[in-house]
């Protein structure tokens, strides 16, 4: 009789352990080399990126644009859908406003980014014009972000003077002018509480050949990755609101 009780007890333990293992099973991710992942709920968010060649990713694949790379960094917590971009190589602040109007967008977004001004500097346009138009672009960005300036982030203008194409130009002049345009952007962002992310320093500190695209002027996906990483914490803060 005692032997039967012992066998029954062992069977009970075996079944209990099997039940526990089933509840704690973690599925294997087929894209992560078979490493176990925790399946967490995916929260859908939307993102609009506004700008020029640095936002559209001139001379880099679409997957290497900084805003797309940022979405990859956020993917553990958020599914960014849709992710829209209004940007074109060569655009100034005025041309970006015109481009936005032509799109006739009615979508509202959980986050909006703005990176604009290098072509204002390149064409020798005034700081006064930039200030006025940049201020208007901040309003437009907030309008797309549910009328909330705190859902907008601005990235500073990178320094193209450090590129291979800028080696024969007056790098000191380019740098000081870009600093002046960024200074205006900082002032206007502070007035309305918009987050400002400095990526200019990153562009100046990382100047080996791998950081530049094949055209010798724009930055490579490797640089875009650094910008995305710099923007990650700010983006997380915005999306949690």
């Amino acid at each position: 009789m005692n032997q039967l009780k012992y066998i029954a007890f062992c069977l009970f333990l075996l079944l209990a352990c099997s039940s526990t293992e089933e509840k704690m099973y973690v599925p294997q991710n087929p894209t992560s080399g078979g490493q176990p992942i925790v399946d967490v709920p995916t929260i859908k968010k939307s993102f609009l990126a506004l700008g020029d060649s640095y936002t559209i990713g001139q001379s880099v694949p679409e997957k290497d644009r900084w805003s797309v790379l940022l979405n990859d960094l956020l993917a553990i917590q958020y599914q960014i859908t849709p992710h829209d971009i209004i940007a074109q190589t060569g655009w100034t602040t005025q041309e970006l406003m015109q481009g936005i109007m032509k799109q006739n967008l009615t979508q509202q977004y959980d986050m909006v980014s703005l990176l604009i001004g290098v072509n204002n500097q390149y064409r020798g346009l005034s700081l006064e014009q930039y200030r006025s138009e940049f201020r208007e672009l901040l309003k437009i960005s907030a309008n797309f972000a549910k009328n909330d300036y705190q859902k907008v982030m601005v990235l500073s203008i990178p320094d193209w003077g450090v590129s291979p194409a800028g080696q024969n130009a007056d790098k000191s002049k380019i740098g000081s002018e870009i600093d002046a345009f960024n200074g205006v952007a900082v002032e206007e962002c502070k007035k309305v509480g918009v987050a400002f992310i400095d990526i200019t320093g990153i562009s100046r500190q990382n100047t080996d050949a791998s950081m530049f695209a094949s055209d010798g002027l724009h930055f490579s996906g490797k640089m875009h990755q650094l910008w995305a990483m710099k923007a990650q914490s700010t983006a997380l803060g915005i999306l949690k609101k």
Side-chain angles (χ1 to χ4, degrees):
M1 190 68 176
N2 289 337
Q3 187 175 5
L4 290 173
K5 286 183 178 180
Y6 176 74
I7 292 171
F9 178 70
C10 289
L11 287 171
F12 171 77
L13 288 178
L14 181 61
L15 290 171
C17 290
S18 298
S19 175
T20 302
E21 288 175 1
E22 287 176 3
K23 289 179 182 178
M24 295 182 66
Y25 172 72
V26 178
Q28 300 295 311
N29 183 358
T31 64
S32 65
Q35 295 299 314
I37 61 170
V38 177
D39 188 17
V40 295
T42 301
I43 303 171
K44 290 187 177 182
K45 296 287 186 176
S46 54
F47 176 25
L48 172 65
L50 305 174
D52 49 37
S53 59
Y54 295 137
T55 295
I56 200 63
Q58 178 67 37
S59 299
V60 301
E62 181 177 341
K63 65 180 181 61
D64 289 339
R65 295 171 180 171
W66 77 264
S67 62
V68 174
L69 293 168
L70 175 60
N71 290 351
D72 293 341
L73 293 174
L74 301 173
I76 294 176
Q77 292 176 258
Y78 301 106
Q79 181 184 354
I80 308 298
T81 175
H83 169 42
D84 294 329
I85 297 176
I86 302 178
Q88 185 169 305
T89 299
W91 272 0
T92 62
T93 44
Q94 184 180 68
E95 289 163 340
L96 174 57
M97 286 193 290
Q98 293 169 347
I100 292 170
M101 290 178 62
K102 288 179 182 177
Q103 291 292 324
N104 197 28
L105 271 184
T106 57
Q107 168 84 30
Q108 288 287 293
Y109 297 86
D110 296 298
M111 180 170 66
V112 177
S113 70
L114 177 62
L115 198 179
I116 192 72
V118 69
N119 295 297
N120 291 65
Q121 179 273 326
Y122 183 78
R123 297 187 199 178
L125 302 180
S126 71
L127 287 175
E128 291 75 17
Q129 179 182 350
Y130 179 71
R131 184 183 297 276
S132 175
E133 292 170 355
F134 184 82
R135 186 185 297 141
E136 184 62 28
L137 282 167
L138 287 178
K139 291 179 183 178
I140 292 170
S141 298
N143 288 341
F144 282 126
K146 305 174 183 179
N147 295 312
D148 188 349
Y149 280 105
Q150 293 190 353
K151 293 183 181 296
V152 178
M153 62 179 177
V154 167
L155 278 69
S156 67
I157 305 166
D159 189 345
W160 66 272
V162 301
S163 69
Q167 293 308 301
N168 295 324
D170 188 338
K171 291 186 286 185
S172 177
K173 180 174 181 290
I174 293 168
S176 63
E177 289 177 354
I178 286 175
D179 287 342
F181 279 92
N182 282 329
V184 168
V186 169
E187 292 172 2
E188 294 304 318
C189 285
K190 284 182 178 179
K191 290 176 184 178
V192 291
V194 167
F196 184 87
I197 302 167
D198 181 8
I199 62 170
T200 311
I202 294 174
S203 71
R204 289 169 174 164
Q205 294 162 8
N206 299 273
T207 58
D208 64 83
S210 67
M211 292 293 172
F212 300 99
S214 58
D215 63 10
L217 175 61
H218 294 92
F219 295 94
S220 69
K222 191 173 179 181
M223 178 69 81
H224 280 249
Q225 180 71 50
L226 296 178
W227 298 345
M229 291 169 65
K230 185 66 181 288
Q232 182 180 8
S233 60
T234 299
L236 283 171
I238 290 173
L239 293 176
K240 286 177 182 177
K241 294 175 183 176

